[in-house]
């Protein structure tokens, strides 16, 4: 039996908006005590959006992450480029 003690999931909130099952999966992830990081809202490439659009996409993901950080009291912030 494999038990994962520590893991970080990278959130694309664009996949969570309007998808109750995906939102519940994130809730279970947080309840298990795992951390989350930012993976942009829409998972679009910097080359496609340009710097301003890309930064806006990161910011658009923040409301989901802020709620997650508040629930878990996570202090470290992670970002993973899509």
């Amino acid at each position: 039996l494999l038990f994962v003690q520590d893991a970080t999931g990278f959130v694309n909130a664009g996949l969570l908006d309007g998808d109750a099952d995906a939102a519940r999966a994130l809730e279970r992830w947080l309840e298990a005590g795992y951390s989350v990081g930012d993976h942009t809202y829409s998972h679009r490439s910097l080359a496609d959006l340009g710097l301003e659009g890309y930064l806006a996409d990161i910011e658009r993901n923040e409301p989901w992450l802020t709620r997650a950080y508040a629930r878990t009291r996570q202090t470290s912030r992670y970002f993973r480029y899509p």
Side-chain angles (χ1 to χ4, degrees):
L1 202 192
L2 176 64
F3 178 72
V4 177
Q5 294 180 349
D6 189 28
T8 301
F10 289 88
V11 177
N12 296 110
L15 299 174
L16 299 172
D17 282 341
D19 186 339
D21 290 337
R24 276 193 295 278
L26 178 58
E27 288 300 316
R28 288 197 310 264
W29 181 268
L30 295 171
E31 287 168 3
Y34 299 125
S35 62
V36 294
D38 194 332
H39 200 44
T40 73
Y41 182 84
S42 66
H43 203 265
R44 303 253 328 260
S45 169
L46 172 60
D48 293 339
L49 293 176
L51 181 58
E52 244 180 74
Y54 194 76
L55 292 174
D57 201 47
I58 292 169
E59 286 296 318
R60 191 172 178 198
N61 214 31
E62 278 300 306
W64 278 95
L65 294 171
T66 298
R67 289 191 298 272
Y69 294 147
R71 289 196 48 206
T72 62
R73 296 189 177 101
Q74 178 180 333
T75 56
S76 299
R77 297 225 173 185
Y78 306 104
F79 175 78
R80 184 174 182 279
Y81 181 79

